[in-house]
Amino acid sequence: MVSQKSNKISNGSVQVIPLGGVGEIGKNMFVVRYGDEMIVIDSGLKFPDEEMLGVDIVIPDMTYLFENRDKIKGVFLTHGHEDHIGALPYLLKEIDVPVYGTKLTIGLAERKLKDHPVRKSVSLKQITPGKQMKLGAFKLEFFSTNHSIADSIGIAIHTPEGIIVHSGDFKFDHTPVTGEITDYHKLAELGKKGVLCLMSDSTNAEQPGYTNSDRVVGETIDEIFREAPKRIILATFASNIYRIQQVINAAKKYGKKIGVVGRSMVNVIEAASELGYLRDVENVVIDDIEKVNQLPLEKTVLLTTGSQGEPMSALTRIATDDHKKVQIMPQDTVVIAATPIPGNEKLVSRSIDNLFKRGAHVIYKSVAGIHVSGHGSQEELKLMLNLVKPKHLIPIHGEYRMQVNHKNLAENLGLPSKNIFLAENGEVMEFKNGRGRVNGKVPAGKVLVDGLGVGDVGNIVLRDRRLLSQDGILIVVISVDKQNKELVAGPDIVSRGFVYVRESEELLDEAREHVVKALNKMSKSKMNEWQAIKSSVKDVLGQYLWEKTRRRPMILPIIMEV
Amino acid sequence: MVSQKSNKISNGSVQVIPLGGVGEIGKNMFVVRYGDEMIVIDSGLKFPDEEMLGVDIVIPDMTYLFENRDKIKGVFLTHGHEDHIGALPYLLKEIDVPVYGTKLTIGLAERKLKDHPVRKSVSLKQITPGKQMKLGAFKLEFFSTNHSIADSIGIAIHTPEGIIVHSGDFKFDHTPVTGEITDYHKLAELGKKGVLCLMSDSTNAEQPGYTNSDRVVGETIDEIFREAPKRIILATFASNIYRIQQVINAAKKYGKKIGVVGRSMVNVIEAASELGYLRDVENVVIDDIEKVNQLPLEKTVLLTTGSQGEPMSALTRIATDDHKKVQIMPQDTVVIAATPIPGNEKLVSRSIDNLFKRGAHVIYKSVAGIHVSGHGSQEELKLMLNLVKPKHLIPIHGEYRMQVNHKNLAENLGLPSKNIFLAENGEVMEFKNGRGRVNGKVPAGKVLVDGLGVGDVGNIVLRDRRLLSQDGILIVVISVDKQNKELVAGPDIVSRGFVYVRESEELLDEAREHVVKALNKMSKSKMNEWQAIKSSVKDVLGQYLWEKTRRRPMILPIIMEV
């Protein structure tokens, strides 16, 4: 993974280095470097893959930043989603550097840092879309984008070698909920000036056409409110303030009060109201679901978390009748206003099934218009390319096949293949005199966070967890006399996760006998060699158990000297 | 789960009892009972959910069959997919009963039973669509259906109380690969006679419109063959003989030889060729991939398994450059002619990414027409209902929300709600004098198969595996003197899957000290009470480790008497 620890930079060149966010969706982190000055764009986390057993979150390997801490002038956040701000506490724990973002983004980052206090004072600075600032050799301009969270921006970084544009997460929505559209004019202006390199969102590079406007969802929500006979329970991403606003609008129109269920939904609504990102919140009861429960059902709406079927979330608990304050009632309409993130399909389906079983009418993904993506589709990616007219393109924010699709789109618009970088994390793209090339690699990769441990769960621990999860463990304990190396107690066999012990006594007794036989066979001199004893126990037991059960539990011999 | 072990049947009534296959997709098994005579339709397996760690397959709880073994007249298989025949070995191990199926179905069942020999002679009997047979009180008619495997049938069971129709897995394909279409005429004839109850496939009850014809895929495959510059590697379900036939047709047309990669693909092609279900197989080289590899690349096609991204499958190995005989070459076209089964999306995406990384051109789900479902959509379900005109409907072969959708469709066609049963596994639907009702429950549920163990992995074992998979295990061994109950050795601490031991020596040393302290605190009399010692060790360690790591490994104290 590491090919060059201390990246050298050629004189008078600018470098773009993804530390996370290419070849993947998640843990976004990009470095732009000129001479001895760097800025960092985003500091995101990623949720673990299934095979990362027991891992809580994944963050980028920040070795390169830690080794160049004195060069870093600032961290810029494009918006407040976890995959863009979630690794901030881990970055700020090591490096004291100012963090820049728009009002809502900074508001969300502040709340995150309260949960993960890193030091007494953290310098969070607010920036405004449409404005610009100077920072060392860089001049930065921030432009508004449409995305599934308010206050999203892209960034144009003016360097002595040319302009680098980071698109942020974007779509082109002509009728967004707030009315503020992606800043076409700034993009056009940049394109006219000439852009050296565009880093652009590839999430929906596989999707033909245009992504629907948020207005479509507003209309669907309105229709659902009009037709629902009784209470409405609507689940969506807590961070999707637009969706929440649309629910507030419909509730106002149809005279319903909104109760909020689920901690992260409460947090976001509090933050967004405080910062002025939600209108007409007087109908929203944040703190007291009982108050809403007392109203006639047809006068109420519940906004909840759990649109991804997360096991501990509000909607999942409601669906399994395991929520303290909310039970499904006859004629409830439940709306899941989100599509499942890949990997969550089964969990979401299970919630839907459970809600149906309790008698709710469930409106979910197969119903059109209840969710739209926050990322632009192919025609929008082309529009971005044609507005910005970059000399080079780095498709970012996408798994490899999405990057490839994005590359194909750009080639079809006439961008030469050699000017498009299908970058890997850690790869250094260097631009000088208007020409780009890959120039080496810096350390990059994933750091697994499990509880308080950052990076202490690696391949060996994960391999053991995987083994344990498949067929469990069998522990064989024997006591050996210190002096004359004789067996004085055991072998005792204890198993967990292997077989149901009460029904497998015979199997375990026989297993024990096999170990006894194996130990008896060993010469006295060998009883001194613990490794030999352990190997022998493992071999004999492993073979016996495979024959009898076709399972391979982890076998762990423990020898005690007494 | 069990409310009534020995199901009683009212005089002169017929019962329909799902033992698997409702509220789920998989492990299909239905019982039709009249008096003291029963027939069983299908005997399928299901693949385990993610949380069933280490489990290989899931089969229906067949207690009800085992307790009524003398009443069972025959087992009828509707087609050769695993979710319809996969549990056959476990059924036949316990009960000696004749098994009926069409030619290909029986051929596949035979091969399955070779891998799981249950007794010397098993009675497998071939039936022919369009024909009928008498069995005890039942007269059975078999009718052809279109599905993603050849020789699929539905069954009409004439009982003294009326006709029960089981749709099998079906769609209405006007232009199927073989030319043989679902038997509209038999369905119409049954509808005219009057059908007491229809059990009908609900898989695609959420999909509006019609399912595309297999011909669409044939055209797409033809186009891919025409345009591919070099070799084609095509992955599909091994059991999808139609897709394989379409590849054979295109290979013949464009003068290419076909190599077969992957054990299950080889097995199915051998079986299907032998039984006459594949034409023009002279271009298929089954046994020798080297022979195909020697030809010019543009003259070759490889048919492989792995369309679901299964970790050990041929395509996955090819994608990770881990296959002995096949490497991706420049300009290879890889076609994934299947959509991911829910839950497999991430694995499939990973394969696609890896194939792109090795330079292949990959054609996958986002490309239209490379896969069509084998199950009918809403309009086809309506057509089935309007042809058969059943008095009662049991939506089968679907998760609960699909059953609900199917019910809604039927209600829209005028079937009264009370005549539609959203059955659970084990529920007894009883029909008498033309009227149906739920009459109790028989044992039903899932039996987990892990290696050779059938049903010996239950909730306790799974809970342990889940705990082990999350934070690993910490084993604390101490030796206590038999006579005077004094600690003579230990505590020794061994951990697996918890932390990376080399970097956590301090943590484990401190943990050990905490245990020593706790043991010292115990009065000598208490050292006699093993449960007390174990609880104390668990409490002290659990608390210490949670504080230090925010993890909860399984803590397993073992005490040896020496």
Side-chain angles (χ1 to χ4, degrees):
Chain A
M1 221 152 42
V2 180
S3 67
Q4 178 188 349
K5 268 224 163 182
S6 55
N7 171 42
K8 290 278 194 310
I9 185 162
S10 316
N11 245 342
S13 72
V14 62
Q15 291 182 339
V16 175
I17 311 169
L19 295 179
V22 293
E24 64 184 344
I25 291 196
K27 69 179 174 65
N28 292 285
M29 178 172 261
F30 295 86
V31 177
V32 178
R33 175 175 182 177
Y34 181 81
D36 272 348
E37 295 180 324
M38 294 181 181
I39 59 170
V40 179
I41 302 176
D42 288 330
S43 178
L45 62 73
K46 190 175 168 177
F47 292 100
D49 289 341
E50 279 155 38
E51 65 265 27
M52 298 178 190
L53 294 167
V55 171
D56 299 327
I57 62 166
V58 183
I59 59 173
D61 179 345
M62 304 183 196
T63 308
Y64 180 66
L65 299 185
F66 299 160
E67 285 175 357
N68 291 282
R69 60 182 72 217
D70 300 334
K71 302 189 181 80
I72 305 171
K73 299 294 160 198
V75 178
F76 292 83
L77 306 175
T78 59
H79 60 282
H81 278 156
E82 288 290 349
D83 58 332
H84 295 259
I85 70 168
L88 207 51
Y90 304 91
L91 172 61
L92 294 180
K93 203 154 67 180
E94 298 289 330
I95 305 179
D96 189 5
V97 60
V99 177
Y100 301 85
T102 50
K103 192 170 160 193
L104 179 63
T105 307
I106 289 297
L108 293 170
E110 233 166 15
R111 275 169 177 74
K112 174 163 276 301
L113 290 167
K114 263 187 206 152
D115 295 341
H116 292 80
V118 289
R119 69 171 61 83
K120 268 181 201 148
S121 73
V122 170
S123 164
L124 297 177
K125 301 185 175 187
Q126 193 179 310
I127 54 178
T128 311
K131 293 283 165 68
Q132 57 183 54
M133 64 177 284
K134 264 201 67 84
L135 196 66
F138 306 109
K139 190 183 82 184
L140 297 116
E141 288 183 292
F142 313 108
F143 54 90
S144 293
T145 63
N146 291 128
H147 185 46
S148 46
I149 187 168
D151 249 15
S152 297
I153 55 166
I155 306 177
I157 305 145
H158 299 255
T159 78
E161 280 297 305
I163 305 172
I164 313 275
V165 176
H166 185 297
S167 72
D169 289 10
F170 77 96
K171 63 176 181 177
F172 290 105
D173 190 340
H174 296 286
T175 53
V177 175
T178 58
E180 196 169 355
I181 58 176
T182 298
D183 191 344
Y184 296 91
H185 300 92
K186 175 55 70 187
L187 293 171
E189 183 195 313
L190 290 165
K192 236 175 163 178
K193 277 186 187 153
V195 166
L196 179 63
C197 176
L198 169 66
M199 293 181 254
S200 184
D201 179 359
S202 311
T203 313
N204 275 342
E206 293 168 287
Q207 303 302 324
Y210 285 91
T211 299
N212 264 333
S213 167
D214 270 4
R215 173 177 288 181
V216 174
V217 183
E219 287 162 4
T220 307
I221 288 177
D222 189 278
E223 201 184 311
I224 291 169
F225 272 63
R226 195 168 58 237
E227 294 185 356
K230 291 275 182 179
R231 181 172 63 175
I232 296 164
I233 299 176
L234 188 143
T236 189
F237 294 109
S239 65
N240 198 329
I241 292 161
Y242 299 138
R243 208 63 74 243
I244 295 168
Q245 183 65 59
Q246 289 171 319
V247 172
I248 293 174
N249 297 350
K252 189 179 177 189
K253 182 169 167 192
Y254 294 99
K256 294 176 195 274
K257 267 251 185 284
I258 299 175
V260 184
V261 194
R263 203 178 63 94
S264 62
M265 188 62 86
V266 169
N267 285 348
V268 169
I269 292 185
E270 272 178 356
S273 312
E274 250 177 70
L275 299 169
Y277 286 86
L278 283 173
R279 294 183 313 273
D280 301 321
V281 288
E282 60 279 0
N283 273 331
V284 184
V285 181
I286 290 185
D287 48 332
D288 194 356
I289 189 72
E290 314 278 15
K291 205 183 283 173
V292 178
N293 281 344
Q294 283 161 13
L295 299 170
L297 286 175
E298 62 272 20
K299 292 281 170 206
T300 66
V301 179
L302 300 181
L303 252 174
T304 81
T305 53
S307 64
Q308 295 300 309
E310 308 93 322
M312 305 303 290
S313 66
L315 187 66
T316 308
R317 283 171 178 268
I318 294 170
T320 52
D321 203 16
D322 183 33
H323 195 279
K324 272 183 208 159
K325 298 182 175 170
V326 184
Q327 284 86 42
I328 291 293
M329 306 294 237
Q331 293 191 289
D332 271 352
T333 302
V334 180
V335 187
I336 297 180
T339 40
I341 293 169
N344 292 349
E345 291 84 354
K346 277 191 162 183
L347 289 174
V348 176
S349 298
R350 207 174 291 171
S351 268
I352 296 168
D353 285 342
N354 285 330
L355 290 163
F356 268 125
K357 280 181 194 163
R358 300 199 182 286
H361 173 53
V362 192
I363 298 175
Y364 56 104
K365 70 164 174 169
S366 54
V367 177
I370 193 55
H371 181 66
V372 298
S373 172
H375 302 269
S377 301
Q378 290 179 350
E379 294 307 312
E380 288 155 280
L381 302 188
K382 291 181 198 166
L383 180 54
M384 176 62 84
L385 284 161
N386 273 335
L387 281 169
V388 175
K389 293 195 294 182
K391 194 162 176 196
H392 301 89
L393 171 69
I394 307 176
I396 61 168
H397 208 287
E399 296 180 3
Y400 194 76
R401 66 194 177 284
M402 304 167 189
Q403 294 178 284
V404 170
N405 272 282
H406 201 167
K407 180 175 196 263
N408 292 343
L409 293 177
E411 284 180 17
N412 285 338
L413 300 186
L415 205 64
S417 173
K418 67 173 177 48
N419 287 9
I420 306 170
F421 299 99
L422 293 181
E424 286 175 23
N425 288 327
E427 222 161 37
V428 179
M429 263 83 42
E430 188 170 278
F431 301 91
K432 195 176 174 175
N433 301 327
R435 298 173 70 155
R437 60 172 185 139
V438 173
N439 186 16
K441 250 189 146 176
V442 304
K446 18 179 198 283
V447 171
L448 310 185
V449 179
D450 181 4
L452 297 180
V454 178
D456 67 339
V457 169
N459 288 335
I460 296 174
V461 174
L462 288 182
R463 190 204 56 197
D464 282 350
R465 288 183 185 172
R466 195 174 58 243
L467 282 175
L468 290 167
S469 77
Q470 290 305 298
D471 288 326
I473 188 169
L474 214 90
I475 301 142
V476 185
V477 196
I478 59 174
S479 293
V480 176
D481 187 280
K482 247 181 237 166
Q483 270 78 45
N484 52 16
K485 307 298 169 197
E486 269 175 357
L487 189 71
V488 291
D492 285 4
I493 293 187
V494 181
S495 85
R496 286 291 184 277
F498 169 52
V499 287
Y500 188 50
V501 177
R502 288 211 195 144
E503 290 177 2
S504 309
E505 277 174 17
E506 204 178 316
L507 178 80
L508 295 176
D509 283 348
E510 263 189 57
R512 195 177 169 280
E513 275 165 37
H514 274 77
V515 176
V516 172
K517 255 187 241 165
L519 292 174
N520 288 343
K521 255 196 223 157
M522 293 191 95
S523 66
K524 205 166 174 183
S525 63
K526 278 261 178 172
M527 286 302 281
N528 208 3
E529 294 168 31
W530 289 17
Q531 272 318 318
I533 300 178
K534 287 183 179 178
S535 301
S536 164
V537 169
K538 276 188 187 179
D539 289 351
V540 165
L541 263 187
Q543 204 186 327
Y544 170 74
L545 296 173
W546 174 251
E547 269 168 26
K548 285 286 176 179
T549 67
R550 285 288 179 277
R551 298 182 198 169
R552 298 196 188 283
M554 182 186 280
I555 296 171
L556 187 63
I558 300 178
I559 305 169
M560 291 203 92
E561 268 197 348
V562 291
Chain B
M1 222 148 47
V2 180
S3 66
Q4 179 187 355
K5 269 222 163 180
S6 55
N7 172 44
K8 291 278 193 314
I9 185 162
S10 318
N11 244 345
S13 72
V14 62
Q15 291 183 337
V16 175
I17 311 168
L19 294 180
V22 294
E24 64 183 344
I25 291 196
K27 67 177 176 67
N28 292 285
M29 179 172 261
F30 296 84
V31 177
V32 177
R33 175 174 181 179
Y34 182 81
D36 272 348
E37 294 180 322
M38 294 182 180
I39 58 170
V40 178
I41 302 176
D42 289 330
S43 178
L45 62 75
K46 189 175 169 178
F47 293 101
D49 288 342
E50 280 156 35
E51 65 265 26
M52 298 179 192
L53 293 166
V55 171
D56 299 327
I57 62 167
V58 182
I59 59 173
D61 180 343
M62 305 184 197
T63 308
Y64 181 66
L65 298 185
F66 299 161
E67 286 176 355
N68 291 283
R69 59 185 72 219
D70 299 334
K71 302 189 181 79
I72 305 171
K73 299 296 159 197
V75 177
F76 293 84
L77 306 174
T78 59
H79 59 282
H81 279 156
E82 288 290 349
D83 57 333
H84 296 258
I85 71 167
L88 205 51
Y90 304 92
L91 172 61
L92 294 180
K93 205 154 65 181
E94 298 290 330
I95 306 180
D96 189 6
V97 59
V99 176
Y100 300 85
T102 51
K103 192 170 161 193
L104 180 63
T105 307
I106 289 296
L108 293 169
E110 232 166 16
R111 275 168 179 77
K112 174 162 278 297
L113 291 167
K114 265 188 205 152
D115 295 341
H116 292 80
V118 288
R119 68 170 61 83
K120 267 179 201 152
S121 75
V122 170
S123 163
L124 298 176
K125 299 184 176 186
Q126 195 178 309
I127 53 179
T128 311
K131 293 284 165 65
Q132 57 183 58
M133 65 177 283
K134 263 201 69 82
L135 197 65
F138 306 109
K139 190 183 82 185
L140 297 116
E141 288 183 292
F142 314 108
F143 53 90
S144 292
T145 64
N146 291 128
H147 185 46
S148 46
I149 187 168
D151 248 16
S152 296
I153 55 166
I155 305 177
I157 305 146
H158 299 256
T159 78
E161 280 298 304
I163 304 173
I164 313 274
V165 176
H166 184 296
S167 73
D169 290 11
F170 76 96
K171 63 176 180 177
F172 289 105
D173 190 340
H174 296 287
T175 53
V177 176
T178 57
E180 195 169 356
I181 58 175
T182 298
D183 191 344
Y184 297 90
H185 299 91
K186 174 55 70 187
L187 293 171
E189 183 195 313
L190 290 165
K192 237 174 164 179
K193 276 187 190 155
V195 167
L196 178 64
C197 176
L198 170 67
M199 294 182 254
S200 183
D201 180 359
S202 311
T203 312
N204 275 342
E206 293 169 287
Q207 304 301 325
Y210 285 90
T211 299
N212 266 331
S213 167
D214 270 3
R215 173 179 286 182
V216 174
V217 183
E219 286 162 4
T220 308
I221 288 177
D222 189 277
E223 202 184 311
I224 291 168
F225 271 64
R226 193 167 62 236
E227 294 185 357
K230 292 275 182 181
R231 181 172 62 174
I232 297 164
I233 299 176
L234 189 142
T236 191
F237 294 109
S239 65
N240 198 329
I241 290 161
Y242 299 138
R243 207 64 73 247
I244 295 168
Q245 183 65 58
Q246 288 170 319
V247 171
I248 292 173
N249 296 350
K252 187 179 178 188
K253 180 168 166 192
Y254 295 99
K256 295 177 195 274
K257 267 250 186 284
I258 299 174
V260 184
V261 195
R263 202 179 64 94
S264 62
M265 188 64 88
V266 168
N267 285 350
V268 169
I269 292 185
E270 272 178 355
S273 311
E274 250 177 69
L275 299 169
Y277 286 84
L278 283 173
R279 295 184 311 274
D280 300 321
V281 288
E282 59 279 1
N283 272 333
V284 184
V285 181
I286 290 186
D287 49 332
D288 193 357
I289 190 72
E290 315 277 14
K291 206 185 279 174
V292 176
N293 282 343
Q294 283 161 14
L295 298 169
L297 285 175
E298 62 272 19
K299 292 280 168 209
T300 67
V301 180
L302 300 181
L303 251 175
T304 81
T305 53
S307 64
Q308 295 299 311
E310 308 93 318
M312 304 305 288
S313 66
L315 187 67
T316 307
R317 283 169 177 269
I318 294 170
T320 52
D321 204 14
D322 184 33
H323 195 280
K324 272 184 207 157
K325 297 182 175 170
V326 183
Q327 285 86 42
I328 291 293
M329 306 295 236
Q331 294 191 289
D332 270 353
T333 303
V334 179
V335 187
I336 298 181
T339 39
I341 292 170
N344 292 348
E345 291 84 354
K346 277 191 160 182
L347 289 174
V348 175
S349 297
R350 207 174 290 169
S351 267
I352 295 168
D353 285 342
N354 285 330
L355 290 162
F356 269 126
K357 280 182 194 161
R358 303 201 179 282
H361 173 53
V362 191
I363 298 174
Y364 56 104
K365 69 164 173 166
S366 52
V367 177
I370 194 54
H371 180 67
V372 297
S373 172
H375 301 271
S377 300
Q378 291 179 349
E379 295 305 313
E380 288 153 282
L381 302 188
K382 291 181 198 165
L383 180 53
M384 176 62 84
L385 283 161
N386 273 334
L387 281 170
V388 175
K389 294 196 291 182
K391 192 161 178 199
H392 301 89
L393 171 70
I394 307 175
I396 60 167
H397 208 287
E399 297 180 2
Y400 194 75
R401 65 194 178 286
M402 304 166 188
Q403 294 178 283
V404 170
N405 272 281
H406 201 167
K407 179 175 196 265
N408 293 343
L409 293 178
E411 284 179 14
N412 285 338
L413 299 188
L415 205 63
S417 175
K418 67 174 177 49
N419 287 9
I420 306 170
F421 298 99
L422 293 180
E424 287 174 24
N425 288 327
E427 222 160 37
V428 179
M429 262 86 39
E430 188 170 276
F431 300 91
K432 195 174 175 176
N433 302 326
R435 299 172 72 156
R437 59 171 185 140
V438 173
N439 185 18
K441 252 189 145 176
V442 304
K446 17 179 200 283
V447 171
L448 310 184
V449 179
D450 181 5
L452 297 181
V454 178
D456 66 340
V457 169
N459 287 335
I460 296 175
V461 173
L462 288 181
R463 189 204 58 197
D464 282 349
R465 288 183 186 173
R466 194 175 59 242
L467 283 175
L468 291 166
S469 77
Q470 290 305 297
D471 288 325
I473 187 169
L474 214 91
I475 301 142
V476 185
V477 195
I478 59 174
S479 292
V480 176
D481 185 281
K482 244 182 242 168
Q483 269 78 45
N484 51 17
K485 307 297 169 195
E486 270 175 358
L487 190 70
V488 292
D492 285 4
I493 293 186
V494 182
S495 85
R496 285 292 184 278
F498 170 51
V499 288
Y500 188 48
V501 177
R502 287 211 195 146
E503 289 177 1
S504 308
E505 277 173 17
E506 205 179 312
L507 178 80
L508 295 176
D509 283 350
E510 263 189 56
R512 193 179 170 281
E513 275 165 39
H514 274 77
V515 175
V516 171
K517 254 187 244 167
L519 291 175
N520 287 344
K521 256 196 224 157
M522 292 191 95
S523 68
K524 205 166 174 183
S525 62
K526 279 260 176 173
M527 287 302 281
N528 206 3
E529 293 168 30
W530 288 17
Q531 272 318 316
I533 300 178
K534 287 182 179 178
S535 300
S536 163
V537 168
K538 275 190 189 180
D539 288 351
V540 165
L541 261 187
Q543 202 186 329
Y544 169 74
L545 295 173
W546 174 250
E547 269 167 27
K548 286 285 176 181
T549 65
R550 286 286 181 277
R551 297 180 199 170
R552 299 195 188 282
M554 183 187 280
I555 296 170
L556 186 62
I558 301 178
I559 304 169
M560 290 204 94
E561 269 198 349
V562 290

